[in-house]
Amino acid sequence: MAARGVAASFSAGYCAFGDEQGAPGVAGEAYPTYSRADIKARCGGASTWVTYKDGVYDITEFINAHPGGAQKIKLAAGGSVEPFWRIYRQHLEQQAGVMDLLAPMRVGTLSAEDYASETCAAKTVDADDPYGDEPERHPALIVHGATPMNAESPPALLGDTYLTPNDLWYVRNHHPVPRLKGDAHEVALALASSPERGTSLAVGDLKSKFPRTEVTATMQCSGNRRGHMNQYGTTSGTAWGCGAASTATWAGVPLRDLVGETLNLGAAPLAAAKKLGLRHAIFEAADDMQASIPLEKALGELGDVLVAYEMNGAPIPRDHGGPLRVVVPGYAGVRNVKWVNRIVLSADTAVGAWERGMNYKAMPSHWRSKADLKGVDFAALPSIHELPTQCAFSAPAAGDAVDSDDESFEARGWALGSAGRAVHRVEVSADGGATWTEASLDAGTDQPYGRAWAWTTWSCDLPIPAGPEPLTLLARAADLGGGAMPRTPEDVWNIRGLNNNSWHTVTLGRTVSAEEEE
Amino acid sequence: MAARGVAASFSAGYCAFGDEQGAPGVAGEAYPTYSRADIKARCGGASTWVTYKDGVYDITEFINAHPGGAQKIKLAAGGSVEPFWRIYRQHLEQQAGVMDLLAPMRVGTLSAEDYASETCAAKTVDADDPYGDEPERHPALIVHGATPMNAESPPALLGDTYLTPNDLWYVRNHHPVPRLKGDAHEVALALASSPERGTSLAVGDLKSKFPRTEVTATMQCSGNRRGHMNQYGTTSGTAWGCGAASTATWAGVPLRDLVGETLNLGAAPLAAAKKLGLRHAIFEAADDMQASIPLEKALGELGDVLVAYEMNGAPIPRDHGGPLRVVVPGYAGVRNVKWVNRIVLSADTAVGAWERGMNYKAMPSHWRSKADLKGVDFAALPSIHELPTQCAFSAPAAGDAVDSDDESFEARGWALGSAGRAVHRVEVSADGGATWTEASLDAGTDQPYGRAWAWTTWSCDLPIPAGPEPLTLLARAADLGGGAMPRTPEDVWNIRGLNNNSWHTVTLGRTVSAEEEE
């Protein structure tokens, strides 16, 4: 099955549409005024309020009738629906029908002060605050830390479109987001062995002077699912759920072609560079971060490493490395350096914390505490590069419940092979592993051999086991390399919480129908 | 550390040296005569007898003084030591000293009839028996089935030399071993899309007309360690231990260069072949077996696929595909087709049982019985190609015992990454996983990035846990791809018993010292 695309990217901010007419309501009716804080306070428990423009709506009764599902509409609780409608564009394309549904639910008006402060015009940049010029972010992102921004994609939305809308992509920054010069931003290209061959190209040159090449790849923080590891033992780092992963179609220039042509390495740049004693490609970023990858990946004919200027058909947003980032399919997010301004082919790896420090080093499970790290030569440990086979649910999520009257329910998710290998099987259990159901593989199954850089989405109907107990859901995937994902976080645990690819586990409750309650 | 080589390969048969003078013994002594059956019957329990030439020796008292260890000398029990001395050549190089040790242990003379029948001259070929012309095999091989020959390497010897001596390589045949024409044997090369470009080359042409290229690779049957899987549930197929794996330095012509030159595919043969709509390289063998691999592996610049005529410095022995086989590093043994006589680049995979039948298909753990296979479309399941990360003990072995008086003992073994990834860590436990010791990585650590096709050997001293219980040894390895080997065979179990890469488990007894026994 072919990959399903997203219609477009969304560069607009998350402010309300301040320049349009007022929000729909019942004609002639006068509404009480609420602040944003009032509205947020009304949410939770049995009640859900949202806003559209300056209208306040009580959608409590509508939630279970929402064609997109209750889980998704609840993401807007207390806030504006508009950022979500930009993702789920059918709301805008069929606006008249949507408004007919919405208007009768109106219960109030957003205070003029809050409405104004939420418009773009109200935003000011504080020049003294290093984080004063951050991009606006979608309210559905799950923010783990804001300075620097570390936010994961809402897992429930990851399964909706094969390509993750740019606004919903996970964000993992190390510093404030640089503001660069768009097409005028320059990237230097150099050979450590022959400085005289160096050159520099603007993003505009990359667009106009080289053929545009597309690569569809899932990117994943090496700490994705660290939070699940913490259930076994405390790790250090952001406690990501399973949403530090997203997929895009990137466009740009293959690094192999770029250095082959501009640094006179010819049509077989890998062999040529290795003859010069070079072994790594170092990527330096405008935020002073740097990382490197081996030349076999950087310049190999099947590595598909891209110097990218486009993400899902739009210029790369600032949060995701715009105007220029490196895309290293199959490698940890940290090697996909954002805001790249220099690429050096070198005999050595990059320097600095991201390549040589402890943060991205592979450590064994038997190092259980910081005491075990005493005297460790971190430089001698390998850095995290390629990621292992992964599998995660997008729905249901922890805290959801199945209906006790139903015989089965739908589970959905994604899986990603290691080393570019295709995922050929996903197995899901609703009874803690006693029985397994093979999921249908939906999108992403037609990727080229050894270059399956993007996830495969899956879905299945799972029988609901008898009994009153909560359900223990498990999901595991197999790629073409054999082996198996580890059963529990214990088997892959490490003090830095990297590379958790244990079976994804979700516990579900059971709802009791009204009749039974009586 | 650099890979340690073996001195040479051994093409001699396993017959005794019938043309040399008699065996050493105590001068003037007359010895009783024993048949081979008599000698074998004397072995086991407390007593160990062996032969050298026509001499019979009781080495029972010497076993624990053997400089190479008791475990290895016991492999010769009941048989001749000569095949082992050809592997451990110090016995031949320092023969005078060895003989001084051996002569006083002489207890008899091998019957003239058995001595004669064990010499090469006595061997006749039965033309009516399809298995009448099989090569001679080393007596240390652990034979699971003789027609066709399926024999594993003695695990205790796998760790001794980095390269496995040809005589000790595991043998996995599907049919009688063909007898081909050496350098005159021809291999046809063809493009399914353009039959007119086909050509044919003799092995002699490969040697004389192309540069000789070496690749050091570990080969492994995809059923290696199937026997360990059976501890969890019965599988179908040969119950291999961990010895269906061996390592050689192969020499030959890279397939990429060979087809690039002879089939006019140029310097970028992968791209050229894909433009012709071709996707697989099919290897056809003289024994009517065939298998295929994707072109990305067959022709990729980092695939290292070799059309090989040499194994550890000698012409490839018949049992291992001589005079010509394909070597596909990192892929299941079955794709490394022996006795190859035709190579076709094709739009489709190979036909036949080895590529499309159920025997080499990846099946899920939840198919527990043959009933689950009913109605399965095996053609739709992927074939086993790349193998997962693997790790095994070479010593100690199940049934061995530690000395209760010792504080620690040495464990040794090998580990192999998946997808050409280097092994960067091996962890070993002597207490069932309660504590782990990191092993030293010995040989094989200097392989190129992404092309670590051969194993890494390891060793460590393990503390002996207190208590009278048997010791549960575990070994697990990590390669650069993150993730983890599965904990138990259950996690990777499948009805065909393929790709068992669960933690290797060995149970050890404890010996009680003589003093304690009193």
Side-chain angles (χ1 to χ4, degrees):
Chain A
M1 186 181 161
R4 292 171 296 183
V6 286
S9 176
F10 311 96
S11 55
Y14 296 108
C15 50
F17 295 111
D19 55 343
E20 294 181 21
Q21 60 186 12
V26 177
E29 194 138 349
Y31 297 102
T33 297
Y34 296 97
S35 70
R36 179 61 72 193
D38 290 334
I39 296 163
K40 288 191 170 169
R42 299 275 172 165
C43 292
S47 181
T48 303
W49 286 21
V50 296
T51 61
Y52 171 66
K53 296 185 181 171
D54 67 347
V56 180
Y57 302 86
D58 178 352
I59 61 170
T60 309
E61 299 292 321
F62 176 69
I63 281 177
N64 285 319
H66 181 232
Q71 202 182 21
K72 294 203 182 73
I73 200 171
K74 279 196 213 164
L75 290 170
S80 168
V81 296
E82 289 158 79
F84 296 89
W85 289 7
R86 290 196 198 95
I87 306 284
Y88 297 94
R89 295 181 73 86
Q90 59 270 40
H91 296 86
L92 303 175
E93 287 151 11
Q94 302 152 28
Q95 195 153 13
V98 170
M99 293 311 168
D100 286 349
L101 280 172
L102 190 64
M105 299 184 232
R106 183 157 179 177
V107 291
T109 297
L110 180 62
S111 73
E113 191 183 353
D114 281 348
Y115 189 42
S117 81
E118 289 175 11
T119 64
C120 290
K123 190 169 187 256
T124 55
V125 173
D126 177 354
D128 291 333
D129 178 1
Y131 288 95
D133 189 25
E134 293 283 283
E136 295 209 53
R137 278 109 186 184
H138 196 282
L141 290 177
I142 301 163
V143 176
H144 290 272
T147 54
M149 178 54 65
N150 286 311
E152 67 182 289
S153 304
L157 301 187
L158 281 182
D160 273 350
T161 52
Y162 185 75
L163 301 179
T164 314
N166 292 354
D167 295 19
L168 293 181
W169 255 69
Y170 84 96
V171 181
R172 197 313 182 210
N173 293 339
H174 296 95
H175 302 113
V177 177
R179 186 177 284 277
L180 304 177
K181 293 181 287 179
D183 280 0
H185 172 71
E186 294 210 344
V187 59
L189 301 166
L191 296 176
S193 55
S194 322
E196 75 284 358
R197 289 205 217 170
T199 186
S200 190
L201 286 165
V203 173
D205 295 332
L206 295 178
K207 291 180 177 174
S208 63
K209 295 182 179 167
F210 296 84
R212 180 179 173 281
T213 297
E214 285 192 356
V215 173
T216 299
T218 297
M219 205 174 290
Q220 198 183 171
C221 178
S222 50
N224 192 30
R225 301 188 55 213
R226 181 184 284 130
H228 306 169
M229 229 176 215
N230 288 341
Q231 293 162 9
Y232 172 70
T234 307
T235 61
S236 70
T238 301
W240 300 105
C242 57
S246 303
T247 301
T249 294
W250 303 93
V253 184
L255 179 60
R256 172 186 171 89
D257 298 344
L258 185 61
V259 302
E261 190 165 323
T262 61
L263 299 178
N264 303 322
L265 291 174
L270 174 58
K274 300 228 18 162
K275 262 188 205 152
L276 296 172
L278 305 173
R279 293 177 58 207
H280 304 273
I282 300 174
F283 309 119
E284 298 176 9
D287 70 338
D288 280 340
M289 184 272 190
Q290 61 170 268
S292 59
I293 60 171
L295 286 191
E296 284 78 2
K297 176 66 179 177
L299 305 183
E301 65 189 340
L302 300 172
D304 289 331
V305 173
L306 206 61
V307 181
Y309 47 71
E310 203 180 289
M311 180 181 183
N312 287 332
I316 300 177
R318 282 175 65 213
D319 245 350
H320 300 293
L324 198 68
R325 83 176 297 174
V326 180
V327 174
V328 185
Y331 276 43
V334 69
R335 310 290 158 220
N336 296 253
V337 175
K338 298 174 176 181
W339 315 296
V340 66
N341 58 16
R342 188 159 181 262
I343 299 175
V344 192
L345 307 192
S346 164
D348 299 312
T349 65
V351 296
W354 299 275
E355 195 68 44
R356 300 192 184 181
M358 69 167 280
N359 283 4
Y360 291 93
K361 293 290 190 177
M363 298 187 214
S365 293
H366 74 265
W367 292 357
R368 297 289 305 159
S369 70
K370 285 195 180 163
D372 290 324
L373 303 185
K374 214 173 168 182
V376 168
D377 175 12
F378 291 112
L381 292 179
S383 295
I384 298 285
H385 283 172
E386 276 188 287
L387 297 181
T389 315
Q390 186 62 282
C391 183
F393 287 98
S394 51
D400 288 352
V402 294
D403 189 323
S404 297
D405 289 341
D406 291 341
E407 289 187 352
S408 67
F409 65 100
E410 190 194 36
R412 287 181 297 107
W414 57 272
L416 180 64
S418 186
R421 294 160 171 160
V423 166
H424 70 85
R425 175 174 298 116
V426 171
E427 293 167 285
V428 191
S429 174
D431 54 13
T435 60
W436 294 87
T437 299
E438 190 154 339
S440 301
L441 303 184
D442 299 328
T445 58
D446 58 350
Q447 300 179 70
Y449 183 86
R451 304 162 91 173
W453 306 124
W455 58 28
T456 295
T457 55
W458 53 265
S459 58
C460 64
D461 268 312
L462 282 171
I464 298 176
E469 302 83 12
L471 279 58
T472 300
L473 267 55
L474 303 173
R476 62 185 186 190
D479 72 15
L480 289 179
M485 287 169 51
R487 181 180 284 243
T488 76
E490 179 181 357
D491 295 351
V492 74
W493 190 94
N494 58 88
I495 202 165
R496 279 290 300 138
L498 303 173
N499 277 352
N500 181 14
N501 73 327
S502 55
W503 300 358
H504 190 197
T505 307
V506 167
T507 304
L508 292 189
R510 297 178 193 252
T511 60
V512 181
S513 69
E515 265 175 61
E516 287 172 75
E517 278 183 308
E518 278 167 16
Chain B
M1 184 179 162
R4 291 169 296 185
V6 285
S9 176
F10 311 95
S11 56
Y14 296 108
C15 49
F17 295 111
D19 56 343
E20 294 180 21
Q21 59 186 17
V26 177
E29 194 137 353
Y31 298 103
T33 297
Y34 296 98
S35 69
R36 179 61 72 194
D38 289 334
I39 296 162
K40 290 191 169 166
R42 299 275 172 166
C43 292
S47 181
T48 303
W49 286 23
V50 297
T51 61
Y52 171 65
K53 295 186 181 169
D54 65 348
V56 180
Y57 302 87
D58 179 352
I59 60 169
T60 308
E61 299 292 320
F62 175 71
I63 281 176
N64 285 321
H66 181 232
Q71 203 181 23
K72 292 202 182 74
I73 199 170
K74 279 197 216 164
L75 290 171
S80 168
V81 296
E82 289 158 80
F84 296 89
W85 289 8
R86 290 196 198 95
I87 306 284
Y88 297 96
R89 295 181 73 84
Q90 57 271 40
H91 296 85
L92 303 176
E93 287 153 9
Q94 303 152 28
Q95 195 154 12
V98 171
M99 292 311 166
D100 287 348
L101 281 172
L102 189 64
M105 298 183 232
R106 183 155 180 181
V107 293
T109 296
L110 181 61
S111 72
E113 191 185 350
D114 280 352
Y115 189 41
S117 82
E118 291 176 8
T119 63
C120 290
K123 189 169 188 253
T124 54
V125 173
D126 177 353
D128 292 333
D129 178 2
Y131 288 95
D133 188 25
E134 293 282 283
E136 295 209 53
R137 277 110 184 184
H138 196 283
L141 291 177
I142 301 162
V143 176
H144 290 272
T147 54
M149 177 54 65
N150 285 310
E152 68 181 287
S153 304
L157 301 186
L158 281 182
D160 273 350
T161 52
Y162 185 76
L163 301 179
T164 314
N166 292 354
D167 295 21
L168 293 182
W169 257 68
Y170 84 96
V171 181
R172 199 311 183 210
N173 293 338
H174 296 95
H175 302 112
V177 177
R179 185 177 285 278
L180 304 176
K181 292 182 287 178
D183 280 0
H185 172 71
E186 295 210 342
V187 59
L189 301 166
L191 296 176
S193 55
S194 322
E196 73 287 357
R197 288 205 218 171
T199 186
S200 189
L201 286 165
V203 173
D205 296 331
L206 295 178
K207 292 180 177 174
S208 63
K209 296 183 179 165
F210 296 84
R212 179 179 173 282
T213 296
E214 284 191 357
V215 173
T216 299
T218 297
M219 206 174 287
Q220 198 181 173
C221 178
S222 50
N224 192 31
R225 301 187 57 211
R226 180 184 286 130
H228 307 169
M229 230 177 215
N230 288 341
Q231 293 162 7
Y232 172 69
T234 307
T235 61
S236 70
T238 301
W240 299 105
C242 57
S246 302
T247 300
T249 294
W250 302 93
V253 184
L255 179 59
R256 172 185 170 90
D257 298 344
L258 185 62
V259 302
E261 191 164 322
T262 63
L263 299 178
N264 303 322
L265 290 175
L270 174 58
K274 301 236 358 170
K275 262 187 205 151
L276 296 172
L278 306 173
R279 294 178 57 207
H280 304 272
I282 300 175
F283 309 119
E284 297 176 10
D287 70 338
D288 281 340
M289 183 271 189
Q290 61 171 267
S292 59
I293 60 172
L295 285 190
E296 285 78 1
K297 176 68 179 176
L299 305 184
E301 64 188 343
L302 300 172
D304 289 331
V305 173
L306 206 62
V307 181
Y309 47 71
E310 204 180 288
M311 180 180 183
N312 287 332
I316 301 177
R318 283 175 63 213
D319 245 350
H320 300 292
L324 199 68
R325 83 177 295 174
V326 180
V327 174
V328 185
Y331 276 43
V334 68
R335 310 291 158 220
N336 295 252
V337 174
K338 299 174 176 180
W339 314 296
V340 66
N341 59 16
R342 187 158 183 262
I343 299 174
V344 192
L345 308 191
S346 164
D348 298 311
T349 66
V351 296
W354 299 276
E355 194 68 43
R356 300 194 185 181
M358 67 167 280
N359 284 4
Y360 291 93
K361 293 292 190 175
M363 298 187 215
S365 292
H366 73 265
W367 292 358
R368 299 287 307 158
S369 69
K370 286 194 179 165
D372 289 324
L373 304 186
K374 216 173 165 180
V376 168
D377 175 12
F378 290 112
L381 292 179
S383 295
I384 298 285
H385 283 172
E386 276 188 287
L387 297 181
T389 314
Q390 185 62 281
C391 184
F393 288 98
S394 51
D400 288 352
V402 294
D403 189 323
S404 296
D405 288 342
D406 291 343
E407 288 187 353
S408 66
F409 66 99
E410 191 195 34
R412 288 181 296 108
W414 58 270
L416 180 64
S418 186
R421 294 161 172 160
V423 166
H424 70 85
R425 175 173 297 116
V426 171
E427 293 167 284
V428 191
S429 174
D431 54 13
T435 61
W436 294 87
T437 299
E438 190 155 339
S440 301
L441 303 185
D442 300 328
T445 58
D446 59 350
Q447 300 179 69
Y449 183 85
R451 303 161 92 174
W453 306 125
W455 57 29
T456 294
T457 56
W458 54 264
S459 57
C460 65
D461 269 313
L462 282 171
I464 298 177
E469 301 82 11
L471 280 61
T472 300
L473 268 57
L474 302 173
R476 62 183 186 190
D479 72 17
L480 288 179
M485 286 169 51
R487 182 179 283 243
T488 75
E490 179 180 357
D491 294 350
V492 74
W493 190 93
N494 57 88
I495 202 164
R496 280 290 299 138
L498 302 173
N499 278 351
N500 180 14
N501 74 327
S502 56
W503 300 357
H504 190 196
T505 308
V506 167
T507 304
L508 292 188
R510 296 176 192 254
T511 61
V512 181
S513 70
E515 266 176 62
E516 288 174 72
E517 276 183 307
E518 280 166 16

